[in-house]
């Protein structure tokens, strides 16, 4: 009976300890991921990529059709072209 209670107590405390661990941070998006995202959306000649003003944001230049535009890619993958 003692072993059973000891085993039960260890399981209970082990579960509580694992619940307190911090989740790992999400994957960071790099310039290569950003370039692939823009090419998937039909942009060509992606260049001058650099980190944006906000964390995880990227800015650069890309060609859409025959027009070169300034592009900003958000951490969630949204693209704004000007």
């Amino acid at each position: 009976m003692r072993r059973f209670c000891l085993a039960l107590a260890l399981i209970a405390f082990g579960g509580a300890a694992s619940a307190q661990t911090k989740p790992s941070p999400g994957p960071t998006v790099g310039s290569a991921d950003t370039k692939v995202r823009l090419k998937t959306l039909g942009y060509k000649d992606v260049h001058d990529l650099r980190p944006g003003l906000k964390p995880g944001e990227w800015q650069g230049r890309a060609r859409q059709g025959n027009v070169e535009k300034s592009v900003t890619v958000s951490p969630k993958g949204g693209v704004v072209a000007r």
Side-chain angles (χ1 to χ4, degrees):
M1 182 69 175
R2 269 188 170 181
R3 286 185 184 180
F4 176 73
C5 290
L6 180 61
L8 189 59
L10 288 174
I11 291 171
F13 287 119
S18 67
Q20 294 176 3
T21 59
K22 293 181 182 177
S24 62
T28 57
V29 177
S31 63
D33 298 324
T34 302
K35 190 176 260 191
V36 168
R37 172 74 176 148
L38 289 168
K39 287 186 175 186
T40 301
L41 293 173
Y43 291 92
K44 296 180 174 130
D45 190 26
V46 179
H47 60 283
D48 294 338
L49 283 176
R50 61 195 178 282
L53 299 174
K54 299 176 186 173
E57 184 178 79
W58 286 88
Q59 296 177 342
R61 309 250 338 136
R63 188 171 299 281
Q64 188 179 29
N66 291 328
V67 180
E68 186 168 328
K69 296 184 176 187
S70 174
V71 292
T72 302
V73 181
S74 75
K76 293 184 179 181
V79 177
V80 176
R82 295 179 193 90

